[in-house]
Amino acid sequence: MAFPIHQGVSFSSSTPQWDYDVFLSFRGEDTRNGFTGHLYQALCDNGINTFIDNDLQRGEEISVELVKAIKSSMISIIIFSQNYAFSSWCLEELVEILNCKQNGQLVLPVFYKVDPSKVRKQEGKFKLAMAKHENKFKNNTEKVQRWRAALNEAASLSGWHYEDGYVSNN
């Protein structure tokens, strides 16, 4: 997988700006032991310093360490899978990643066995996930609206669509 060079990011040879080259955002139960695990290994094997959340405690809110890792990464790769939007953790991560995009971070989506338009329009499982969140967070509709906007924005970015061994640019 070749990564395009983002013209807005500048590098300083004296002081590195980033702790990580790549931050991986994914739904663990969907892809950790398959696609994401292989991607992580391939990145590391090629000398790309990659953050993966193997040792972080799970909960409703993303941890301070995770926010720090997102902010200190040059590139974020978002791996959208069937159940990605069911995780409030993933959705909070996505919002943080898109905030960092505003500051020059390169954001690359991978649509793992999901149609990018289903993510963008929140159809199918993404519709079910957002309905679940609307019910759960009925006293915090702004949070769910942020998540909806983030899904739409991220799914509108140019990325890769993976379907059963075949990868295409979208």
Side-chain angles (χ1 to χ4, degrees), residues 106-124:
L106 181 59
V107 176
L108 303 169
V110 174
F111 301 93
Y112 180 77
K113 299 184 179 184
V114 296
D115 187 316
S117 69
K118 300 269 189 211
V119 180
R120 190 170 37 257
K121 297 174 186 174
Q122 288 138 55
E123 296 175 341

Side-chain angles (χ1 to χ4, degrees), residues 10 56 73 80 132-133 143 156-157 170:
S10 63
L56 293 178
S73 296
F80 288 108
K132 176 185 157 234
H133 293 310
K143 177 187 286 260
S156 297
L157 298 172
N170 72 325

Side-chain angles (χ1 to χ4, degrees), residues 14 64 108 119-120 124 127 130 151:
S14 59
V64 173
L108 303 169
V119 180
R120 190 170 37 257
K127 181 178 183 175
M130 297 316 293
L151 285 167

